[in-house]
Amino acid sequence: MNGSRLLFGHIRAHWWLYLIGVASIAAANLVHAQFPRILGEFTDELQRGGLTAEAIRRYSLILLAIGVGYGVLFGAGQYMNHRLGRRFEFRVRQRLFAHFTKLSERYFGGNGVGKLLSYFMNDVTTVRESIANSLNQMTNASVLLVTSVAMMLWSGIPAGLLAVCVLPLLSIPLLVIYFGPIIRTRSGRVQEALARMTESAEEQFGGIRVTKTFGNEPVARQRFGERVDDIRDKQLQLVKATSLFQALLPFAGAVSLVAAIGYGGYLTIHGHLSLGLFVALTLYLRLIVTPLQQIGNVINTFQRARASLDRLNELLAEVPDIRETDSPKEAPASEEAGIEITGLTFAYPGTERPVLVDLSISVPPGRTLGIVGRTGSGKTTLAKLLLRLYDPPAGTIRIGGRDIRELSLESLRGSIAYVPQDGFLFSTTIRDNIAFSDRGASREKVEAAAKLAEFHGNVAGFKDGYDTKLGERGVTLSGGQRQRASLARGFLKESPILLLDDSVSAVDTVTETRILGNLRRSRKGRTTILIAHRLSAVRHADEIVVLEEGRIVERGTHEQLLRLGGVYAELYAIQEEGAAYE
Ligand SMILES: Nc1ncnc2c1ncn2[C@@H]1O[C@H](COP(=O)(O)OP(=O)(O)OP(=O)(O)O)[C@@H](O)[C@H]1O
């Protein structure tokens, strides 16, 4: 979808409201354009010596009516246009968010949070301001220009004189053609620099604790300073172009006024033009200097808005990598939720080296698989493929006999409760964090999940219990508590498949043993995958696979692998030795 269509689609959808807004402003300007003519007539009556007290009262009332009429109509039009601008902003933000939720992990991996925020804040606001202001000012300016010229002709100002005065104004379209693209390009650069600054701010704020513990504040200040300097440079370049453009427009207006005074003054001296008409002419020309400046403003803001619209357009055109088939199937029921992985080889998009090589694993329904391996051996990648955060090659992963690429994303992800190592907790209550997959879950259900995760004891210690708020304005949990809260969230989901990715690594060994015991009791008969560094976490699994550089190097039960005396046995010996030291 194209950027202009985003804007024009909105205008088309609300065209009648825009018409009311534009018509009100147009009517306001028609009223306003009467002003010089009335003053011209007043001057002529004054010159003829026929001005009576009654006429002064009449002229005063007419001028008052013009003022009130203009104020009411202009205010109403402006209100309408600003309201519509806000509606545009609201809709576009909603749409952007909906689009974001469809984009894949790869997109978010490549684009920082700050950059994405910048679309919501800077770009949408620039377009909204442009719509409301441009419409108000453009209607204002064009109606005032046209009516002023018409009124000048209607008042009897000679067409020749008018042509001489208006001629300098014809340079305006040429200026617009020249400056428009320059302003747009420079404005695009400002928006990009703003996005980079927001991204940098987000990163610096996120990493502020690391910065402080390393005493690295000067480096952080310098890095952020570079971003701010970049914005300043880009903005200065933009300001130079817009200022020059805006200065040249009134200059054209001033040349036109000089022509009026020269030629009009000559005609007045020689009696070809009444003093009243001369006054009206100069007032009209003064009156059109403001619209000329407004046109300049509008063109500036519109060019800036186009740069932002182009950026929004690019974002909306981003096609999600992970898509469903035309008729996606439902994931199988719990008792069929076995997993078959056959000949799975996978490299991350844009990379050559496969991270997983020819994996074949079978997890019958209700069984538990343990996956161990050194850091970087591909364990989490396998979890991401199971969830289709990245696409596995067709036919390589099946659940209940169905290729996961044929399942609807909602039902696939609904059938797997995934607990990552660093589960993110939202700034809301503990209850809402645990009941994330089922907001209506009963208190008992939330507590049962927390008990399974050995988290209930901690929660009971908080003054507000499950209503304790986490995050920015709430309690800060320890690493182990966060991990158990995230684990409770996974347990509450009660999905056919449970996938724990090193989810008990931050808890002590006694708590780990309890959690794993709870898990074995509660998940009896349900498919479970345990990814772990600590072998104690997988020793009860029905099968354990050992990964090295993306390949399965050993497989079997805990006892079989110990007997094999290979990598697993070696790791086990090292970990046992470590545990003995503890
Ligand atoms: N988004 C990505 N793009 C490219 N390469 C990636 C991406 N994510 C991970 N990798 C690479 O894939 C390999 C496997 O990573 P993965 O996270 O699956 O390992 P892991 O076994 O889970 O490690 P750990 O035990 O440390 O969590 C690593 O070499 C990593 O650098």
Side-chain angles (χ1 to χ4, degrees), residues 348 351 353 355 374-381 384 390 533:
Y348 279 99
T351 64
R353 197 178 61 88
V355 174
R374 280 182 237 279
T375 175
S377 55
K379 304 181 295 294
T380 301
T381 305
K384 286 181 181 168
Y390 288 91
H533 276 124

Side-chain angles (χ1 to χ4, degrees), residues 315-328:
L315 177 65
L316 287 171
E318 185 74 37
V319 182
D321 295 336
I322 310 293
R323 288 189 296 277
E324 292 179 344
T325 57
D326 291 339
S327 48

